[in-house]
Amino acid sequence: MSAPLLELDGLTVALGTGGVELLSGLSLVLERGERLGLVGESGSGKSLTALAIMGLLPEQMRVSGGLRFKGDDLPALPEERMRRLRGRRIAMIFQEPMTALNPVMSIGAQIAEGRRLHLGEGRAEAEAVARRLLDRVGLPGPRFDPGLYPHQLSGGQRQRVMIAMAVACGPDLLIADEPTTALDVTVQAQILDLLDEIVEETGAALLLITHDLGVVSETADRIAVMYAGRILETGPTEKVFARMAHPYAHGLFAASPYGLDLRRAPGEPRPRLKAIPGMVPDPARRPAHCVFAERCASVQADCLRISPPLKPLEAEGGRWPHLVACLHPRAGGAAP
Amino acid sequence: MRTAAPLLEVRDLVREYPLPRPSLFAPRPVLRAVRGVSLTLAAGSSLGIVGESGCGKSTLARCVMGLERPQGGQVLIDGEDIYALSRAGLRRARVKFQAVFQDPYGSLDPRHDVRRILLEPLASLQPETGRAEHASRIAEALEAVGLPAEAAGRYPHEFSGGQRQRIAMARALITRPALIVADEPVSALDVSIQAQVLNLMMDLQERLGLSYLFISHDLGVVRAITDRVAVMQAGKIVEEGPTGEVFAHPRHAYTRRLIESAPKPFSGRRRRARAAQEAPA
């Protein structure tokens, strides 16, 4: 059996040597053609995970544990080899298409840049490909000339350009960090569809980072729920949504307006959202026991003693088992 | 039972912005941000305005707050046209309506402590209030939003995003207003914190009989907190009605498209919009 495309095996990222852990022991495997959604709130470490994979962590952060791409240990790769992977094998789509695009370079040149650098194509050749990619992402000529600049495009159109740039060299892994968060819902729907089609056509793996449960539910085959630098629950999307075994996974859903049952008798007060009390713990003050214990409604004495590892919920998990890091997983049901 | 006059009434509001001339002698094109909007908000209830960026919802909110003089139409608060008032009259009327904005980082002055932030509306709108009254009003406002009394001596940077939105809410409440215009008040917050702030807004509404004009692009949030909802598109209201009714049986095609586009958990993997049906946005 060949090495998996992307393998995180106890990936830990700390600030300074022996310092504060920002990511603690993440493990996951991603193969070509798969769509994995990483969900969590701000500070959960989901974007940091993406940066670690891209080798773009700030200097003072230390990586330990396994982080392998096609069997290569990424943190050990010299920058020169990492640079050949970035944009070629691993590509990233960022949230802010305005800041991620170069404002003084035409969109055609930006899309072609990767092919010229990585594949050694000439200008004419690369720009012909850029034209085809623009057509593919829904920006047809002559209206959308490769000579246009980012400021001449709307937010959704810029995000289409970002997608064209990301897939220009046919990467094996596409990381999309909140790709639609800055967009309106109708545009978001179009962009998510486009991403979906591109992944289907190219067979690349998709790592989708989002805070939106609706977006992962509709886009990812598997999800991993992150909180305070850890994965608390992971598995096939339908299984995770059907059970929400971790109180945090369930709490996240119950707190969202999706979780709200609006039925009420006339004169009755408006139903409240099920807010999770408290705040995400500061990375420097994360407890040694379960990181969610302080905010958990069903906390028990043993939760304050140990930090539960991810464990399968069923004996026979199949290829993608449903795992949860909780001593007292919920029996099931999204209903509160 | 209906009261005679609604707390807020907007009649045929028009707000346009002249754009730069494309060439020297060309006429100035006009951006028609709000094109004849009418709506009413009964005391003690909440009205949501939903729509996508550029639909004019924030311009509408700014007109209601007295921050943008409209070119046409009226904004009546308690039956009084705020744009027909003198400066002093508007200042007096402002006690009745306050605002909460989206950005909990940008909307609080980082150099002022919470006490000074909360005092500002009182000092400028109700200068007759004395020191003793100030102290009691600050305590009352902080208590209402669930912040400790010591918070008064701290600075915005010492608070999280959710707590800052509580401070913004306390600042709005300090003049004891009847109407709060909230422009995307929870959009910058994480889901679990967003729920805390929305619940607080519901509690305050029930306790104090507040009315909300609640502007948001987030259909889920609007569905949770409003009694009625108006859907705006290109400067006009295309559909308005009781929130439950509009979400369950949207009549206008645009409302339907908004609701269908919004991703939902449990829907499973699906294609949302067919690119063939719509022009690339």
Side-chain angles (χ1 to χ4, degrees):
Chain A
M1 210 175 117
S2 63
L5 181 71
L6 176 71
E7 187 179 16
L8 273 57
D9 182 9
L11 174 70
T12 297
V13 171
L15 199 55
T17 27
V20 179
E21 268 187 25
L22 302 174
L23 295 180
S24 311
L26 297 196
S27 294
L28 54 88
V29 172
L30 188 60
E31 295 287 4
R32 280 182 61 91
E34 292 176 349
R35 303 170 177 85
L36 172 68
L38 220 48
V39 217
E41 297 185 285
S42 9
S44 62
K46 50 194 197 307
S47 293
L48 210 57
T49 307
L51 292 180
I53 297 168
M54 291 291 281
L56 294 174
L57 287 175
E59 277 284 304
Q60 63 273 32
M61 290 190 189
R62 295 279 166 272
V63 180
S64 56
L67 170 55
R68 286 180 288 273
F69 183 76
K70 293 183 170 175
D72 282 334
D73 183 26
L74 289 183
L77 282 189
E79 179 56 26
E80 165 58 29
R81 280 202 53 205
M82 198 62 218
R83 211 178 302 145
R84 269 184 274 148
L85 282 183
R86 248 186 247 129
R88 173 75 183 89
R89 295 285 169 212
I90 310 176
M92 189 152 171
I93 298 166
F94 296 90
Q95 173 175 350
E96 279 296 333
M98 197 58 228
T99 46
L101 291 175
N102 185 341
V104 294
M105 202 170 163
S106 73
I107 57 172
Q110 290 187 63
I111 297 169
E113 192 180 25
R115 291 191 71 89
R116 298 185 63 195
L117 285 174
H118 288 296
L119 309 178
E121 282 182 0
R123 181 189 299 270
E125 205 179 345
E127 283 183 0
V129 176
R131 174 67 270 164
R132 283 206 298 280
L133 283 165
L134 281 173
D135 289 337
R136 176 58 199 96
V137 297
L139 299 175
R143 161 76 180 82
F144 296 100
D145 190 86
L148 290 176
Y149 286 85
H151 76 269
Q152 294 169 295
L153 303 176
S154 71
Q157 289 162 356
R158 283 184 212 135
Q159 206 53 303
R160 288 174 192 269
V161 172
M162 285 276 291
I163 293 174
M165 273 170 73
V167 299
C169 296
D172 299 307
L173 172 61
L174 201 53
I175 302 176
D177 188 359
E178 304 272 9
T180 58
T181 305
L183 305 176
D184 280 324
V185 276
T186 53
V187 183
Q188 164 171 284
Q190 297 171 21
I191 296 294
L192 289 174
D193 281 352
L194 174 64
L195 255 181
D196 213 43
E197 290 163 17
I198 295 268
V199 167
E200 212 161 87
E201 284 168 22
T202 62
L206 175 69
L207 182 65
L208 176 73
I209 296 174
T210 177
H211 69 284
D212 191 319
L213 290 171
V215 169
V216 272
S217 165
E218 293 187 353
T219 314
D221 311 310
R222 284 188 296 140
I223 72 172
V225 180
M226 287 190 70
Y227 181 78
R230 285 159 208 270
I231 294 175
L232 295 187
E233 183 166 355
T234 181
T237 309
E238 325 82 74
K239 281 196 181 172
V240 173
F241 272 92
R243 172 126 179 216
M244 297 191 180
H246 199 288
Y248 175 69
H250 178 253
L252 199 59
F253 170 74
S256 72
Y258 306 121
L260 192 64
D261 183 357
L262 285 181
R263 278 168 299 181
R264 58 169 164 160
E268 248 182 63
R270 189 187 294 286
R272 297 296 192 262
L273 294 158
K274 305 223 166 19
I276 304 175
M279 285 184 295
V280 179
D282 183 272
R285 296 196 197 88
R286 280 179 197 156
H289 52 262
C290 171
V291 281
F292 188 60
E294 271 71 21
R295 300 178 75 188
C296 185
S298 40
V299 62
Q300 297 187 25
D302 49 354
C303 304
L304 300 170
R305 283 199 297 272
I306 56 167
S307 173
L310 275 174
K311 275 195 178 150
L313 278 166
E314 305 144 8
E316 190 42 65
R319 184 159 140 74
W320 302 122
H322 185 179
L323 308 172
V324 66
C326 181
L327 295 171
H328 309 283
R330 296 175 66 254
Chain B
M1 271 221 305
R2 267 181 190 281
T3 44
L7 176 64
L8 167 69
E9 190 175 358
V10 174
R11 289 187 192 151
D12 304 319
L13 196 77
V14 174
R15 171 70 211 187
E16 299 173 338
Y17 299 98
L19 297 174
R21 288 173 209 279
S23 64
L24 189 55
F25 298 107
R28 296 190 75 144
V30 169
L31 173 73
R32 300 171 68 199
V34 176
R35 312 197 284 175
V37 163
S38 299
L39 50 87
T40 58
L41 171 60
S45 71
S46 54
L47 171 66
I49 311 281
V50 287
E52 299 188 287
S53 18
C55 74
K57 57 189 191 302
S58 287
T59 304
L60 172 65
R62 292 176 60 80
C63 288
V64 169
M65 286 187 279
L67 298 174
E68 299 250 358
R69 183 170 283 277
Q71 278 93 352
Q74 293 171 308
V75 175
L76 291 93
I77 292 180
D78 257 348
E80 229 175 1
D81 182 353
I82 60 166
Y83 288 100
L85 292 172
S86 63
R87 279 177 76 101
L90 179 60
R91 203 167 257 263
R92 273 193 300 276
R94 249 185 214 293
V95 171
K96 285 182 279 189
F97 59 106
Q98 290 287 315
V100 175
F101 299 94
Q102 171 172 3
D103 182 3
Y105 295 87
S107 62
L108 303 175
D109 191 323
R111 296 164 305 164
H112 293 178
D113 65 6
V114 171
R115 183 189 326 277
R116 180 151 173 209
I117 288 169
L118 297 188
L119 270 186
E120 207 145 289
L122 271 190
S124 57
L125 300 178
Q126 295 173 312
E128 69 282 4
T129 52
R131 270 173 174 272
E133 168 109 38
H134 286 172
S136 71
R137 289 271 194 109
I138 287 174
E140 173 190 303
L142 286 175
E143 201 259 299
V145 299
L147 286 173
E150 310 87 79
R154 305 198 348 229
Y155 287 82
H157 72 87
E158 298 176 60
F159 296 91
S160 67
Q163 287 172 325
R164 286 178 204 218
Q165 266 332 42
R166 286 176 195 263
I167 296 170
M169 201 61 202
R171 174 175 61 184
L173 290 172
I174 203 147
T175 62
R176 297 178 181 151
L179 169 67
I180 289 188
V181 179
D183 191 356
E184 304 270 10
V186 295
S187 305
L189 306 177
D190 272 321
V191 184
S192 66
I193 306 301
Q194 169 177 299
Q196 294 172 5
V197 174
L198 286 175
N199 285 347
L200 170 71
M201 290 183 76
M202 296 184 217
D203 290 344
L204 290 170
Q205 177 166 40
E206 280 164 23
R207 252 178 57 204
L208 308 173
L210 291 173
S211 299
Y212 293 127
L213 183 66
F214 195 100
I215 318 285
S216 182
H217 72 285
D218 188 325
L219 300 168
V221 165
V222 166
R223 182 174 160 269
I225 199 170
T226 63
D227 302 305
R228 296 182 69 83
V229 63
V231 181
M232 266 186 96
Q233 184 192 22
K236 286 188 167 163
I237 289 176
V238 296
E239 179 162 3
E240 200 264 349
T243 304
E245 184 61 27
V246 170
F247 279 86
H249 309 287
R251 285 162 198 276
H252 195 276
Y254 179 68
T255 314
R256 277 201 293 276
R257 189 143 79 84
L258 274 185
I259 294 173
E260 279 161 20
S261 302
K264 296 153 201 79
F266 298 108
S267 48
R269 266 177 38 76
R270 65 170 184 134
R271 288 286 158 77
R272 299 141 205 101
R274 282 281 155 205
Q277 293 169 1
E278 288 152 34

